[in-house]
Amino acid sequence: MGRKVHPLGFRLGYVKDWNARWFAEGRKYSQMLAEDLRLRDLIRKEMSRAGISQIEIERTANQISVTIHTAKPGIIIGRKGANVNILRQQLENLTGKKIRIEVREIEQPEIEAYLIAESIAQQLERRISHKRAMKQAVARAMRLGIQGIKIAVGGRLGGSEMARRDKVMEGRVPLQTLRSDIDFAQSESLTTFGRIGVKVWVYKGEVLPQPPKIELAPELLEG
């Protein structure tokens, strides 16, 4: 079952939180969902060089809060905040609502699944061997202390006549354990031989539940 279910959706509410936090019903839900997709597409298109790993969206009555997790915050912010102001204006023109943007820096981009998948996809477009790209990504990630990583690519690898699938794995990646903190992402590489898909699983350890806090009455503490 672990291979059939999305690793992040499988753990929502257990060890993972939603990337979009708002509530709506009926037709309004579909409209806001489509608006979220347009927001994410615009941000990734305009800031394609910023190494964006995750985009969180939170809505209030008249405002949309967007949190961008990036490996290169300077590219998004720009000189004296010029770039982020332009991006905010584009998002407000797209939605017609007030936008608040928060930029958070990723300290270790080498263990972010989305950035690993994007890096491998870009290397495949430059005709670098898929085995070399995968092995280098695995080595960089394992040096930073993660417990396991798996990378799978599929398509006409190396220009072969028939599509095939290849994977590299190091450490352990327990897909069916709910308390496992697994980061998953997928990307596509557009080559002259067709599209090549890239999937990355990064296992960062277990998230153990915190014991409930018991508050004693003041008279019991005095005694």
Side-chain angles (χ1 to χ4, degrees):
M1 183 173 66
R3 297 183 180 180
K4 304 294 188 293
V5 180
H6 195 286
L8 302 185
F10 189 46
R11 292 167 174 80
L12 282 177
Y14 293 93
V15 297
K16 295 292 184 181
D17 196 8
W18 284 259
N19 287 335
R21 292 181 287 275
W22 45 265
F23 177 79
E25 292 181 321
R27 181 168 300 196
K28 192 174 181 182
Y29 172 83
S30 59
Q31 293 172 350
M32 293 169 70
L33 178 61
E35 190 175 74
D36 275 10
L37 295 175
R38 290 196 298 270
L39 284 171
R40 296 176 192 276
D41 289 342
L42 178 62
I43 293 172
R44 292 199 181 277
K45 179 181 177 183
E46 295 296 325
M47 300 293 172
S48 58
R49 294 171 50 249
I52 297 173
S53 172
Q54 185 180 1
I55 301 172
E56 298 179 3
I57 299 176
E58 192 168 347
R59 295 174 181 267
T60 57
N62 299 314
Q63 180 176 282
I64 302 176
S65 299
V66 180
T67 304
I68 303 174
H69 298 260
T70 173
K72 302 174 183 177
I75 294 179
I76 296 181
I77 297 172
R79 182 172 296 180
K80 296 182 180 179
N83 291 352
V84 75
N85 290 334
I86 294 174
L87 180 62
R88 182 186 298 109
Q89 188 61 50
Q90 290 176 330
L91 296 177
E92 289 179 350
N93 293 339
L94 179 68
T95 62
K97 300 172 185 175
K98 188 177 180 181
I99 303 289
R100 185 177 71 88
I101 297 178
E102 182 181 352
V103 180
R104 295 184 182 176
E105 183 177 3
I106 299 172
E107 296 181 357
Q108 295 179 323
E110 294 87 358
I111 62 174
E112 292 292 322
Y114 186 84
L115 298 182
I116 295 173
E118 282 288 302
S119 173
I120 293 174
Q122 292 171 7
Q123 291 181 64
L124 293 177
E125 290 180 354
R126 299 199 303 268
R127 298 192 177 186
I128 294 175
S129 168
H130 67 280
K131 289 187 177 181
R132 179 184 174 189
M134 290 194 296
K135 287 181 179 179
Q136 288 180 348
V138 167
R140 283 195 298 265
M142 292 300 292
R143 277 200 301 265
L144 293 177
I146 62 170
Q147 297 194 19
I149 180 172
K150 181 168 74 169
I151 302 175
V153 295
R156 293 182 61 188
L157 302 175
S160 61
E161 289 292 326
M162 187 175 293
R164 58 192 175 91
R165 196 167 183 262
D166 197 0
K167 70 176 181 179
V168 172
M169 180 175 172
E170 191 166 340
R172 51 189 292 264
V173 184
L175 295 178
Q176 297 190 36
T177 306
L178 283 174
R179 62 179 178 270
S180 300
D181 183 9
I182 291 183
D183 189 14
F184 172 78
Q186 52 189 355
S187 183
E188 287 185 346
S189 175
L190 182 57
T191 68
T192 54
F193 302 105
R195 291 188 183 272
I196 296 178
V198 182
K199 292 183 179 181
V200 178
W201 296 260
V202 178
Y203 176 45
K204 300 179 180 179
E206 291 188 353
V207 180
L208 299 177
Q210 298 294 326
K213 294 182 179 180
I214 301 175
E215 296 184 2
L216 297 176
E219 56 271 15
L220 295 177
L221 292 174
E222 293 175 0

